[in-house]
Amino acid sequence: MLTAVSTLVMMVAYSGPLGNAPTLGAALSAAPAGRTWILSSMSVGLAVSLLSVGALADDVGRRKMFVFGAWVFASGCALCAVADSTTPFIVGRLVAGVGAAGMVATGLGLVATTTTHARHRAAAASWWGTSLGAGIAMGPLVTGLLDLSGQWRAFYWLLALAGGAMAVAARTMFAESAAAGSRRFDLVGLVTMTGGLGLLLVALIEVRSGALSRAAVGGVLAMVLLAAFVTAELRGRDPMLDLALFRRPDFVAATIAALATGSGVISLMSFACTFLVNGMGLSTLAAGGLLTVWSATSALSAVLGRHAPQRFAGNPQLVAGLSSVGIGMLLLTSLSPAATPWRLVPGLLVAGVASGILNAGLGRQSVASVPSARAALGTGTNNTARYLGSAIGVTIVSVIAANPSGSRAAQVTGWNAAALITGMVSLAGAAIVMGLARAHAAGPRGTFKREVTNAGGR
């Protein structure tokens, strides 16, 4: 249960600024670039930390990393609560993202060490997926409601208190677990991977801010560091990310599905509030309420998904989720300038049901597709792909569709294009996962499991 609660709190923190972005920008006197960073900073902290935190947690202790992450999250939220300008607020969001990574990467790993029963793990993954949808739904609504009384800082104080409470609760609710055997700490891998992902995300944010020269420099440096990371992992004795995992089709399928989720439905829904306010004239609270058609439906379908037959688990669930999400987003296209917000409801409902199925499947496969000793690494890798895909997708959507000074017709045209592209990304992801599943079924079943288990147990 604590795993689901921590994910819920993290997603509330992640999505909260979507509900009161104009208020935050005005209160912090943020320039346009600063407003972009306010919305993106927590995802940057998450994306650059998830993989390294997951690998480290498997070695030093998953409960220890969860508790540490919860305290870091609480500290970052407290910094946001007292910030009086843009820079300290952004730093607080970055710190909160790093702390949230400690909880996200270890939560399902801790559950996986307490039970090996497939039905129990499926239930845990369903509740985890429910928390994702519920958190995304609650964040903008809570900040929108607090906006009515001018209490935006209270949101971050509440998050800080929740982080501290989870750190205390984890000490009694979780048993410590770690991988057997000693491994050397992969400092080179940590530095090159964190630096490379960080610079890549900064480059994407700078593209959205219009600073193309800084984006180009950051992108080149990111590619250099990520190439160095791959080289270090191939040559290292105890790599942080064993690249032999990518010989395993179910691991690759789960990673591709997470990337497609981030660059597809999450990126479009992250932009949806902006479109509903600027393009359709809704208030931020009304826009957040409309988006609950997607997020609340996602939460409900994820929790009901635990009753699905066992043969549906794994790649079939990912294919069904991605393809249905794609169909839902295609239903959000073909808007006319005269369309009302109600026109979006059918697509949001379909995408919501499918997102719940997809999130539950990703939660399960992130652990099931790696050796049990590397459970936190599996979760960290999967969520890194999700947030990296989100950063890429949001950048593409923003370039295509964001036009604050444009007419309603221009806003609607941009939305139609963004929904079409992200829908096609989801359908392409489903096709790739299906192809990997067929390749796995056609090949010798024991090969990949043996290779990865040997590699992971060094």
Side-chain angles (χ1 to χ4, degrees):
M1 182 57 70
L2 185 56
T3 296
V5 170
S6 65
T7 303
L8 175 71
V9 171
M10 187 274 290
M11 292 309 299
V12 168
Y14 173 78
S15 63
L18 297 176
N20 68 340
T23 298
L24 287 175
L28 300 170
S29 301
R35 292 171 186 253
T36 301
W37 271 98
I38 285 172
L39 295 176
S40 305
S41 47
M42 186 171 174
S43 60
V44 171
L46 274 162
V48 302
S49 306
L50 278 162
L51 181 56
S52 55
V53 165
L56 189 59
D58 285 327
D59 292 329
V60 305
R62 300 180 184 103
R63 186 183 69 179
K64 184 183 299 182
M65 189 59 67
F66 184 98
V67 172
F68 178 75
W71 283 122
V72 172
F73 173 80
S75 301
C77 292
L79 180 56
C80 289
V82 300
D84 59 359
S85 63
T86 307
T87 299
F89 185 87
I90 290 172
V91 171
R93 293 281 289 174
L94 286 167
V95 171
V98 173
M103 296 186 288
V104 173
T106 56
L108 286 175
L110 285 163
V111 172
T113 60
T114 62
T115 179
T116 58
H117 194 282
R119 181 64 65 181
H120 293 166
R121 288 190 174 187
S126 295
W127 282 111
W128 183 82
T130 299
S131 300
L132 285 176
I136 292 173
M138 290 173 61
L141 290 177
V142 172
T143 53
L145 288 170
L146 289 172
D147 247 17
L148 298 178
S149 57
Q151 297 296 320
W152 69 266
R153 294 182 188 275
F155 178 71
Y156 297 96
W157 283 124
L158 291 171
L159 291 174
L161 289 173
M166 290 185 295
V168 173
R171 292 188 177 277
T172 57
M173 296 184 67
F174 288 139
E176 186 58 281
S177 65
S182 59
R183 290 163 51 95
R184 290 193 308 176
F185 179 62
D186 184 10
L187 179 60
V188 174
L190 173 66
V191 171
T192 53
M193 188 277 299
T194 303
L197 282 181
L199 284 170
L200 178 59
L201 292 168
V202 168
L204 290 170
I205 293 170
E206 293 298 333
V207 168
R208 283 149 57 189
S209 300
L212 299 184
S213 58
R214 288 201 298 268
V217 172
V220 171
L221 292 176
M223 294 300 103
V224 171
L225 284 175
L226 291 174
F229 169 70
V230 172
T231 302
E233 301 308 278
L234 287 171
R235 295 183 178 181
R237 192 182 74 183
D238 292 312
M240 181 172 65
L241 175 61
D242 197 325
L243 298 183
L245 285 167
F246 289 96
R247 301 175 190 167
R248 181 168 177 164
D250 55 349
F251 176 81
V252 176
T255 305
I256 292 293
L259 188 68
T261 301
S263 55
V265 66
I266 292 179
S267 62
L268 185 67
M269 293 302 118
S270 296
F271 177 75
C273 195
T274 299
F275 168 69
L276 290 172
V277 172
N278 294 335
M280 306 204 80
L282 299 184
S283 67
T284 53
L285 184 58
L290 180 59
L291 286 181
T292 60
V293 174
W294 166 69
S295 53
T297 306
S298 168
L300 181 62
S301 69
V303 73
L304 293 177
R306 70 184 190 276
H307 300 299
Q310 192 59 33
R311 65 179 179 274
F312 181 64
N315 287 331
Q317 186 170 354
L318 299 183
V319 171
L322 281 170
S323 56
S324 300
V325 161
I327 293 170
M329 289 194 291
L330 293 181
L331 291 174
L332 297 173
T333 63
S334 302
L335 291 186
S336 70
T340 68
W342 293 106
R343 165 66 174 75
L344 298 171
V345 170
L348 291 173
L349 282 171
V350 173
V353 172
S355 293
I357 295 170
L358 181 57
N359 286 334
L362 287 171
R364 179 190 179 280
Q365 286 302 96
S366 66
V367 174
S369 61
V370 298
S372 58
R374 299 284 110 190
L377 173 65
T379 305
T381 303
N382 196 267
N383 281 283
T384 297
R386 182 199 299 265
Y387 289 107
L388 181 60
S390 174
I392 295 170
V394 167
T395 299
I396 294 172
V397 169
S398 297
V399 170
I400 293 172
N403 188 8
S405 60
S407 64
R408 180 185 176 100
Q411 299 273 357
V412 169
T413 299
W415 168 265
N416 286 335
L420 176 62
I421 290 172
T422 51
M424 295 305 294
V425 166
S426 298
L427 293 174
I432 294 171
V433 172
M434 182 182 294
L436 288 167
R438 290 178 175 174
H440 191 203
R445 293 184 177 272
T447 304
F448 297 104
K449 182 177 180 180
R450 182 172 60 253
E451 287 178 348
V452 175
T453 301
N454 291 339
R458 280 196 295 236

